[in-house]
Amino acid sequence: MRDHLELFLNGRKVRVSGTDAFRTAANWLREVRGATGTKTVCEEGDCGACTVLVGTPRDGRLDYVPVNSCIQMLFQLDGIHVVSVEGLQLGSELSDVQRSMVDHHGAQCGYCTPGFVVAMTALRESGAAVTGREAREALTGNLCRCTGYDPIIEAALDMTGGHGRSLDELYPPGPIAEALARASDGVRIDANGRTFFAPHTLRDALAFLAANPGAVIVQGGTDFGVQCNKRGLRPSVMMTLAHLDGLDGIAIENGALVVGGRATLAALEKFTETRVPALHGILQLFGSPQIRNAGTLAGNVANASPIADTLPFLFVCEAELELESVRGKRAVGINAFYKGYKQLDKAPDEMITKVRVPLPGEAETVRLYKVSKRRDLDISTFTAAIRMTVAGGRMSGVKIAYGGVAPVVLRLPRTEALLEGAGATEALFREAGDVARGEIAPISDVRGSKEFRSLLAANVLMKFFHEEIAGARVAPGTGAR
Amino acid sequence: MSGHRVVGKPRRRVDGRAKVTGQTRFADDLQFPRMLHCKLLRSPHPHARILNVDTTRAERAPGVHLVLTGKDFPVTFGILPVSMDEEPICREKVRMAGDPVAAVIAATEEEAAAACELIDVEYEPLKTIADPLEALATDEPRIHDHGDHGNVHKKIALEFGDVDASLAGADRVFDDTFFYEGNTHLALEQHAAVALLDPDGRLTLHSSTQVPHYVHRQVARALELPAHKLRVVAAPNGGGFGGKTDVFNHEVVVAKAAMLTGRPVRICLTREEVFLCHRGRHPVLMRLRTGVKHDGTIVAMDLETLLDGGAYGSYGVASTFYTGQLQTVTYHVPRYRFRGCRTFTNKPPCGPKRGHGTPQPRFGQEVQLDKIAVALGLDPAGLRLQQLEKPGTLTANYMRLGTIALRQCIEKVVEGSGWHDKWQKLRDGRGLGLACSSYLCGAGLPIYWNDLPHSGVQLKLDRSGLVTLFCGATEVGQGSDDVLAGIVAEVLGVAPQEIKLLTGDTDLTPVDLGSYSSRVTLMAGNAAIQAAERAKAIVAAGVSAKLGIPEDRLVFAEGRVFDAEDPEQGLSFQDAVIVAEGKHGIIGTTGSYRPAVSAAKYKGGGVGPSPSYSYSASVVEVEVDRTSGWIEVKKVWIAHDIGIALNPVLARGQVEGSVYMALGEALMEESAMRRLPARLSSALVHKFPSMLEYKSPTTMEMPPVETYLVEEPEPNGPFGAKEVGQGPLLPIMPALANAIFDAVGVRIDEIPITPDKVFKALREQAQGRTPRVGPASFPAIDWGEISIVPPPWEGGDGRAINEKPRKSKVVESGVRLAPDSPGANVSDGVKR
């Protein structure tokens, strides 16, 4: 058991102990390391100016992905190679990304620039030639107020073919991965009344939870970091699952998607691309690449937000959560998991180790909806999942879940019952909209009024009807999509 | 531009390398030994008397070095001489939720924040004023004891010719009301400042400011320091857009704290605090009446504007004038009346954002022109082309225009977009809109009146061959460093990257008024040319004497000085400087720039004059979904009359950045406020005080932009250059609104144009009602006596014929406030 963090920063091993471990990674880089190229701007994972690469050792290699360092606690980066903008170049030699950004005037004021350069480096490291569309999607997590993005996108299309070094050339992965592997035992840091624990085994994790009920599990931390920065959240006991083997798996077993407790949304996005397209579609709109690289599905479930993007899908698939504690394992259906706003059917000593999602059959239609003010990089105003089988004009197996309309994600049993077994007509869907409005209790907040949410609750059913059932009957050119 | 080696050629900007490597040192990146940290305690009340501030517990808190309250700051400050109404820390009352009531200076930021919680403040809440209508209706309590009356900060009434007579004689009069919601700059960088005492006891303030010279003046004033005891250094700004052109309370506070503690004191605002600093776009309600002939020719225009100023004066007097003064510089307006009113409200103060005061009335004017074209069956492009103002004109309100290449701009976007094949010809749901605009190339007058240069440049050339440029201009991302380096490089025949720049430092660099009003290229650029030509003459004299080549035959190019007739004969630039230094002595030259005196002699005529005006035209194509009101901008064509482009890639970046910012405010951005419930103090607070909730467009929202730089050299500009940082923003919002009308036949007479507004207008349309969303009316305002200024073509001389003669008055020691300064017509009512 170590009493300090061991990580690499820009190719050099760093040991961190005491209260520094509890800083955000961005704050540590800037204030402790003097690496001020990383900018803290929004402090809520929105703008990407704080983007750094985290290189995770995997089979002797380092897999680099961009994350927002303003909402990552430094303790989450134990055993990681962190590359900040300062680490992208060798001496005075610009990297290919930097050279391209200079050539194309991708920087004006320069404040978002380090974040863009780092995110683009991740894109370049993937090795694939990118299209303009792919470059734009890869950079949705980075906001710029000066350029209008075009020069940056042009730079992204022109960042190969230079003589700059790749990350693996700058930082040969073997020795770093080896040094980090040697350090991969458990970590516990107690400082200034706060405790951090990174268990090496599940048994240790469960024992720690039993001893510290209510300890906060900080895995992706994408909401936790925001709460710390903006609301002054300062929990005294925290644990990450980063060093636990086996919890990051994603597989399809007996027709169910099984997602380990620390599998990231990015990994899930990749896995579902061909296997579960409906879920993949909504994951692509989840936050930003940086957020998806850190956030986990189990975290999204446990965070219990009524507007969590993944939840309506899990609800209509009647997903099952595997909860473990020293007392044993139990399964809870997701539809019964939420007891009220942020109230879970989960004991303080339990943790989610698996999310099991029975997948809909091929004949079934499943559609997921997200309404937000901005298409990408936004928090939902309203979410919905509608699942059913339509055969011979009749509907069966109807399951509907809405988010953003109550303190928890809701199933709509009365609306489902109205549609179940009935013929699919516009009039019936209109009626279903009225019933749906009666089953929800939306509130007004900055993201939308309760009237707006109520309207959406009805309209999403009409949209489903027109697009999925009566689609062929809509004449082209009327603007319906 | 033939013959130029640097100017007009696309090149890397000189500060690109530092920025892509993260090595640019912004204000928040500065760290000093023994540095302390400052946090401000801010009022939760929007309007309240401060009865008591008890700091006892905070002073004893861990890590605390100093606690400051309003008592420590007896002197007010402000950016305009007429509204010195800001306090470093509030003394007797707070005027908005977020006003500072105390400051804690501690060893760490966390300790400072924790100690703020230990300060006990007693407030007596006062009635709050939420919007201009409430302000007009509420004389008491007054938010400030200065301003025209009650909660009216400033009223303006100007008439250039008998507008009523012209409107009565017009074939048609179009009468529209528009509303433009406020929005904010959202620069990526938060405001930050560090103050420290130099070993000799003088004070240095590093700050993220666009205006180090004005900060220098105001911090010296607020701290009652002789100006030469204070040095202000502007760090490169991580975006400004006008949001860092005020002097801010936190700058004064850390300066004072450094003096009292003897240690460096730093502050970096949180994102929420940046929203409180604001100074963003004023919400403006407008009524525009325009009389036209049957063929669309404008005979008169009558504009009324009502501005929501927020809690402080800021640039408000100038902003108010700007909502009217540039309406005449694009199309010929024979007679014009402008009446504007700015009110105080208990909200974060509004100020200048890119386009300062002009996007709002421009939106109204260009949307109304579209309505006129449709009503009269005219082509909107043709309607504009037939009445463009002529180069060199003195307008109805005495703005002297320079070159105007707007015709070419319109022709470019019309041709590029296929306007004639598409406007009114696309299928339902798809449409095109066109709009034009104009902007200043630098304000003709400084914000405090003086007859000194607006810009100065010094050059040092020495035997190392290095050229060092000193200038007070501030790099805010717009490329001022590159413009200055490029200009000097052109004259001296060296590479721009080889010029060392030292900018924005009040100790070391000559004054430049700042990076605002699109003034740096023209003003600092002209000063740089003068300094460089003087240096060139010295070097040429040296080389001529040494090599026996006549001076007028010497060419400065490619790092050499050589004989035009025999290029082999010459010296390297370094050797040339050595020779010249030997002959002349140490080489240092200066350049200055001051604009010509304006023809507008009436009160308020100080706002609007500029050495030159840039012009822009844009076509926007949209797709509108009738079922949801969803708007997708498919493409933007924009042409900008830039005079000449000093660095075309950089210029293109400014145009496209303007288009981006314009689309953000046209479609989604708004500084909407909300009233908290009574149990939470009823405060008026930002609805979206976070980057996440205040939406700005991502990579995915940005449509393709086709940019045309139209070059017709402006004699007043350096090498013929005009501004490019602000003007291209202006036509986008109205072009978008006009495109939406073309697509689905609804008028959205307000900004932002959101899907719900389009949806609402479509429903009105479906129900046979007027398919419009916008304000219903403009309130009746008692405008008082109007200043009557006959236009030049009606025998006017630029003065109001009913204006009482005015005496010049002294506002600050040694500085005379002249009649034509923007602030001259309001007395400085704040006593101290």
Side-chain angles (χ1 to χ4, degrees):
Chain A
M1 185 73 67
R2 276 180 286 135
D3 64 354
H4 58 273
L5 308 179
E6 284 183 12
L7 57 138
F8 274 67
L9 172 63
N10 298 330
R12 294 191 163 272
K13 191 167 182 175
V14 184
R15 186 188 151 113
V16 181
S17 53
T19 52
D20 280 351
F22 297 87
R23 292 175 182 258
T24 65
N27 178 280
W28 177 75
L29 284 168
R30 291 180 57 82
E31 306 290 330
V32 179
R33 306 296 302 188
T36 55
T38 298
K39 304 300 179 199
T40 51
V41 171
C42 68
E43 295 189 286
E44 53 190 337
D46 186 54
C47 74
C50 65
T51 302
V52 297
L53 294 174
V54 295
T56 309
R58 204 158 280 145
D59 308 327
R61 298 192 46 76
L62 291 166
D63 285 350
Y64 293 99
V65 294
V67 301
N68 293 312
S69 64
C70 72
I71 50 170
Q72 289 273 302
M73 299 296 135
L74 191 61
F75 62 66
Q76 292 175 258
L77 300 181
D78 182 60
I80 296 282
H81 181 207
V82 178
V83 181
S84 69
V85 67
E86 288 86 358
L88 297 180
Q89 62 189 116
L90 188 69
S92 62
E93 179 191 308
L94 295 184
S95 75
D96 287 344
V97 173
Q98 290 168 326
R99 189 261 316 148
S100 186
M101 280 287 275
V102 176
D103 285 349
H104 292 275
H105 284 228
Q108 285 186 21
C109 83
Y111 218 73
C112 70
T113 310
F116 269 100
V117 167
V118 171
M120 288 163 74
T121 301
L123 191 61
R124 186 189 178 282
E125 286 294 305
S126 70
V130 289
T131 63
R133 171 99 196 162
E134 285 163 346
R136 281 178 191 275
E137 295 205 332
L139 298 173
T140 49
N142 294 79
L143 293 177
C144 168
R145 289 290 282 172
C146 293
T147 61
Y149 302 109
D150 246 27
I152 297 170
I153 301 303
E154 284 172 16
L157 298 180
D158 185 30
M159 60 191 180
T160 53
H163 304 293
R165 290 156 210 256
S166 70
L167 286 177
D168 282 352
E169 285 166 334
L170 280 175
Y171 307 111
I176 295 177
E178 195 186 324
L180 289 173
R182 280 202 304 272
S184 70
D185 47 354
V187 183
R188 180 176 171 131
I189 299 176
D190 295 281
N192 206 14
R194 303 183 80 192
T195 297
F196 159 70
F197 181 52
H200 197 49
T201 65
L202 183 59
R203 174 202 288 260
D204 289 348
L206 298 177
F208 183 79
L209 279 181
N212 301 277
V216 179
I217 300 175
V218 183
Q219 184 51 34
T222 53
D223 193 42
F224 177 84
V226 179
Q227 300 303 321
C228 293
N229 290 340
K230 303 287 174 173
R231 306 251 154 81
L233 179 70
R234 290 284 180 280
S236 51
V237 186
M238 288 152 288
M239 176 171 90
T240 76
L241 312 179
H243 296 319
L244 296 188
D245 287 334
L247 279 190
D248 60 348
I250 304 175
I252 291 187
E253 293 168 8
N254 304 323
L257 175 68
V258 181
V259 184
R262 70 176 180 93
T264 64
L265 293 162
L268 188 59
E269 183 188 359
K270 201 169 166 190
F271 184 87
T272 54
E273 183 168 6
T274 52
R275 298 178 183 92
V276 195
L279 179 58
H280 180 257
I282 210 80
L283 287 171
Q284 282 188 303
L285 296 182
F286 193 112
S288 65
Q290 286 91 326
I291 296 288
R292 301 196 289 274
N293 285 329
T296 64
L297 181 66
N300 203 223
V301 169
N303 194 41
S305 165
I307 45 172
D309 282 344
T310 60
L311 288 187
F313 178 75
L314 301 189
F315 270 64
V316 298
C317 291
E318 305 192 319
E320 222 175 63
L321 309 174
E322 185 180 275
L323 300 178
E324 278 198 61
S325 69
V326 288
R327 296 171 287 120
K329 249 187 226 188
R330 67 184 179 109
V332 184
I334 191 129
N335 285 279
F337 187 56
Y338 301 102
K339 301 298 181 193
Y341 181 67
K342 301 245 171 186
Q343 301 293 308
L344 309 179
D345 176 13
K346 180 176 94 65
D349 66 343
E350 285 181 318
M351 61 181 263
I352 300 171
T353 47
K354 249 179 217 170
V355 181
R356 198 172 164 279
V357 191
L359 293 172
E362 290 204 352
E364 291 185 83
T365 302
V366 182
R367 285 292 172 266
L368 309 185
Y369 303 92
K370 167 173 177 163
V371 177
S372 55
K373 210 166 157 184
R374 187 166 62 187
R375 197 193 83 107
D376 292 84
L377 190 61
D378 207 350
I379 289 177
S380 302
T381 302
F382 171 82
T383 56
I386 302 175
R387 172 185 182 184
M388 65 176 66
T389 304
V390 186
R394 301 228 155 256
M395 297 176 282
S396 61
V398 179
K399 296 183 175 65
I400 302 170
Y402 285 176
V405 295
V408 296
V409 173
L410 292 182
R411 280 284 291 276
L412 278 69
R414 288 197 286 129
T415 311
E416 292 174 3
L418 178 73
L419 298 177
E420 185 68 37
T425 64
E426 183 170 346
L428 184 68
F429 269 82
R430 200 172 296 283
E431 190 188 339
D434 290 338
V435 174
R437 292 166 77 144
E439 290 196 83
I440 60 176
I443 56 164
S444 292
D445 65 15
V446 294
R447 298 190 190 97
S449 65
K450 73 181 174 194
E451 293 76 21
F452 179 55
R453 290 185 159 109
S454 184
L455 187 66
L456 288 169
N459 285 1
V460 74
L461 286 161
M462 294 310 294
K463 185 175 170 72
F464 180 88
F465 173 77
H466 282 295
E467 290 180 1
E468 309 304 330
I469 298 175
R473 278 184 258 148
V474 177
T478 58
R481 273 201 281 265
Chain B
M1 293 296 294
S2 62
H4 290 156
R5 292 179 167 81
V6 178
V7 161
K9 303 284 189 293
R11 60 173 192 276
R12 286 178 159 198
R13 50 190 288 168
V14 296
D15 53 352
R17 181 187 181 91
K19 286 174 174 173
V20 301
T21 53
Q23 294 304 303
T24 304
R25 300 278 276 167
F26 297 96
D28 190 40
D29 299 336
L30 302 175
Q31 296 181 356
F32 296 95
R34 303 178 75 233
M35 188 164 78
L36 300 174
H37 299 263
C38 174
K39 278 278 176 196
L40 298 172
L41 175 67
R42 295 177 181 275
S43 162
H45 296 282
H47 200 190
R49 251 186 278 285
I50 301 169
L51 301 180
N52 188 40
V53 182
D54 183 352
T55 60
T56 330
R57 290 194 298 147
E59 281 160 18
R60 289 197 294 258
V64 171
H65 285 246
L66 180 68
V67 181
L68 295 169
T69 67
K71 290 195 187 98
D72 299 298
F73 297 95
V75 183
T76 64
F77 66 95
I79 191 70
L80 295 189
V82 292
S83 32
M84 293 278 163
D85 59 5
E86 301 201 39
E87 298 172 285
I89 296 179
C90 295
R91 289 169 295 176
E92 287 167 13
K93 69 175 202 167
V94 293
R95 298 174 179 86
M96 55 173 262
D99 260 344
V101 289
V104 176
I105 290 85
T108 67
E109 215 171 344
E110 292 74 19
E111 285 168 331
C116 279
E117 303 288 315
L118 303 176
I119 297 172
D120 301 304
V121 187
E122 262 180 78
Y123 296 98
E124 179 195 329
L126 299 169
K127 179 181 166 56
T128 61
I129 315 256
D131 60 44
L133 296 181
E134 274 184 36
L136 287 170
T138 313
D139 283 343
E140 295 287 341
R142 293 184 78 183
I143 294 172
H144 287 285
D145 58 4
H146 75 101
D148 280 4
H149 60 82
N151 286 301
V152 172
H153 176 205
K154 176 65 187 168
K155 267 189 210 167
I156 296 160
L158 296 167
E159 180 156 15
F160 307 92
D162 189 341
V163 168
D164 287 334
S166 289
L167 290 178
D171 292 329
R172 294 280 298 270
V173 175
F174 290 81
D175 186 348
D176 292 284
T177 51
F178 299 96
F179 178 65
Y180 201 113
E181 180 58 282
N183 52 59
T184 203
H185 319 85
L186 202 75
L188 267 277
E189 180 203 30
Q190 299 93 321
H191 306 58
V194 189
L196 63 158
L197 283 181
D198 295 342
D200 60 4
R202 296 167 79 253
L203 183 66
T204 297
L205 174 67
H206 298 266
S207 188
S208 44
T209 177
Q210 299 175 240
V211 288
H213 173 62
Y214 294 148
V215 171
H216 185 213
R217 288 174 57 80
Q218 290 304 311
V219 173
R221 171 198 159 95
L223 298 182
E224 300 175 280
L225 277 176
H228 69 275
K229 294 277 191 192
L230 172 67
R231 172 188 183 193
V232 175
V233 184
N237 288 196
F241 316 114
K244 294 165 183 160
T245 50
D246 276 71
V247 184
F248 291 98
N249 45 40
H250 65 264
E251 294 173 317
V252 184
V253 169
V254 292
K256 176 91 178 184
M259 288 167 67
L260 293 177
T261 60
R263 290 172 63 160
V265 178
R266 162 196 178 267
I267 189 165
C268 179
L269 301 189
T270 64
R271 181 52 56 182
E272 288 69 22
E273 289 177 307
V274 175
F275 278 94
L276 297 172
C277 281
H278 192 44
R279 321 290 160 148
R281 187 90 70 223
H282 282 77
V284 181
L285 181 64
M286 295 160 267
R287 181 184 182 194
L288 180 61
R289 292 194 304 149
T290 302
V292 294
K293 296 183 192 164
H294 288 305
D295 69 356
T297 304
I298 297 167
V299 298
M301 199 188 279
D302 182 16
L303 171 67
E304 290 174 280
T305 64
L306 178 59
L307 290 77
D308 186 343
Y312 290 95
S314 182
Y315 281 83
V317 171
S319 314
T320 311
F321 276 107
Y322 276 128
T323 64
Q325 286 291 64
L326 295 194
Q327 293 298 88
T328 55
V329 302
T330 315
Y331 315 107
H332 183 62
V333 179
R335 286 178 170 176
Y336 178 50
R337 180 163 59 210
F338 162 54
R339 289 168 292 185
C341 173
R342 183 181 195 258
T343 59
F344 287 124
T345 53
N346 294 113
K347 298 188 291 195
C350 299
K353 181 185 168 191
R354 210 171 196 171
H356 193 187
T358 72
Q360 301 96 325
R362 175 62 62 179
F363 171 72
Q365 184 177 19
E366 295 290 324
V367 170
Q368 190 182 59
L369 277 175
D370 201 66
K371 294 182 182 186
I372 292 171
V374 170
L376 301 180
L378 303 169
D379 169 34
L383 173 68
R384 288 167 169 88
L385 284 169
Q386 79 192 32
Q387 50 194 325
L388 295 179
E389 204 37 290
K390 294 187 178 51
T393 299
L394 192 59
T395 66
N397 59 341
Y398 292 86
M399 302 298 130
R400 173 69 72 189
L401 308 182
T403 59
I404 303 178
L406 183 53
R407 177 170 302 279
Q408 297 91 306
C409 290
I410 294 174
E411 287 165 357
K412 284 280 183 198
V413 295
V414 161
E415 191 193 328
S417 65
W419 174 262
H420 294 301
D421 300 327
K422 287 164 137 181
W423 182 68
Q424 290 194 331
K425 297 190 178 84
L426 297 176
R427 63 172 164 76
D428 184 56
R430 191 83 172 216
L432 258 67
L434 179 144
C436 303
S437 64
S438 176
Y439 198 67
L440 311 166
C441 301
L445 281 103
I447 59 169
Y448 68 99
W449 196 85
N450 62 72
D451 35 20
L452 307 174
H454 289 212
S455 262
V457 166
Q458 287 179 335
L459 290 180
K460 170 172 104 49
L461 280 62
D462 73 20
R463 57 195 83 172
S464 70
L466 180 70
V467 178
T468 312
L469 180 153
F470 302 84
C471 179
T474 305
E475 174 61 55
V476 301
Q478 87 282 41
S480 69
D481 281 3
D482 190 72
V483 161
L484 293 171
I487 284 173
V488 172
E490 177 67 47
V491 175
L492 297 181
V494 296
Q497 317 285 352
E498 287 170 12
I499 292 169
K500 170 81 183 167
L501 290 122
L502 222 153
T503 59
D505 183 326
T506 61
D507 261 13
L508 303 183
T509 65
V511 166
D512 173 89
L513 293 181
S515 292
Y516 69 97
S517 85
S518 271
R519 49 177 302 289
V520 172
T521 291
L522 192 138
M523 299 197 188
N526 277 323
I529 289 184
Q530 191 179 59
E533 291 289 356
R534 288 172 174 171
K536 183 179 176 180
I538 291 170
V539 175
V543 174
S544 176
K546 171 90 176 172
L547 300 184
I549 303 166
E551 285 177 36
D552 59 6
R553 247 171 50 200
L554 288 173
V555 176
F556 285 62
E558 280 134 27
R560 291 181 68 234
V561 182
F562 56 88
D563 186 349
E565 292 178 2
D566 181 4
E568 294 298 307
Q569 295 302 310
L571 297 172
S572 72
F573 183 76
Q574 183 182 2
D575 287 342
V577 173
I578 290 170
V579 165
E581 190 176 321
K583 178 176 183 326
H584 176 86
I586 293 296
I587 304 172
T589 62
T590 63
S592 312
Y593 181 80
R594 183 168 186 245
V597 174
S598 162
K601 305 297 181 201
Y602 56 90
K603 274 201 276 187
V607 182
S610 175
S612 173
Y613 298 83
S614 73
Y615 291 85
S616 310
S618 176
V619 168
V620 170
E621 182 167 352
V622 295
E623 174 84 30
V624 180
D625 179 8
R626 276 194 175 272
T627 60
S628 64
W630 193 258
I631 306 153
E632 193 180 343
V633 178
K634 304 304 285 189
K635 187 159 181 177
V636 175
W637 294 263
I638 180 151
H640 183 68
D641 164 16
I642 191 171
I644 67 117
L646 294 171
N647 181 349
V649 205
L650 197 154
R652 199 200 88 176
Q654 289 299 303
V655 174
E656 292 177 3
S658 294
V659 171
Y660 155 83
M661 191 162 275
L663 287 173
E665 64 185 73
L667 292 166
M668 58 175 81
E669 296 179 29
E670 50 186 329
S671 290
M673 309 294 293
R674 65 188 175 121
R675 198 184 276 278
L676 293 178
R679 68 188 160 81
L680 296 171
S681 82
S682 307
L684 292 157
V685 296
H686 271 284
K687 215 166 160 185
F688 313 118
S690 93
M691 262 191 134
L692 179 57
E693 300 296 354
Y694 179 94
K695 308 298 175 210
S696 66
T698 69
T699 53
M700 303 305 283
E701 273 96 8
M702 194 57 197
V705 179
E706 190 73 45
T707 301
Y708 310 95
L709 297 175
V710 175
E711 297 191 305
E712 182 182 312
E714 158 64 54
N716 283 341
F719 296 106
K722 296 186 182 185
E723 74 90 33
V724 62
Q726 304 193 62
L729 173 136
L730 294 160
I732 304 299
M733 294 72 78
L736 175 77
N738 296 340
I740 287 169
F741 178 77
D742 189 43
V744 288
V746 303
R747 288 287 179 191
I748 310 300
D749 287 342
E750 62 178 57
I751 292 292
I753 301 174
T754 52
D756 60 314
K757 290 177 190 170
V758 174
F759 185 73
K760 195 172 154 199
L762 286 166
R763 271 212 297 218
E764 299 290 306
Q765 185 185 52
Q767 289 163 6
R769 293 195 290 262
T770 311
R772 170 183 182 266
V773 167
S777 63
F778 190 90
I781 293 174
D782 174 11
W783 292 108
E785 195 194 359
I786 196 159
S787 293
I788 296 169
V789 186
W793 41 84
E794 294 183 23
D797 64 356
R799 289 169 214 280
I801 54 177
N802 59 339
E803 205 168 280
K804 293 177 203 82
R806 286 162 295 152
K807 284 179 287 186
S808 297
K809 57 174 186 168
V810 173
V811 289
E812 288 179 49
S813 53
V815 177
R816 204 163 45 84
L817 188 64
D820 51 355
S821 119
N825 42 359
V826 179
S827 67
D828 179 359
V830 184
K831 300 285 179 269
R832 56 201 68 88

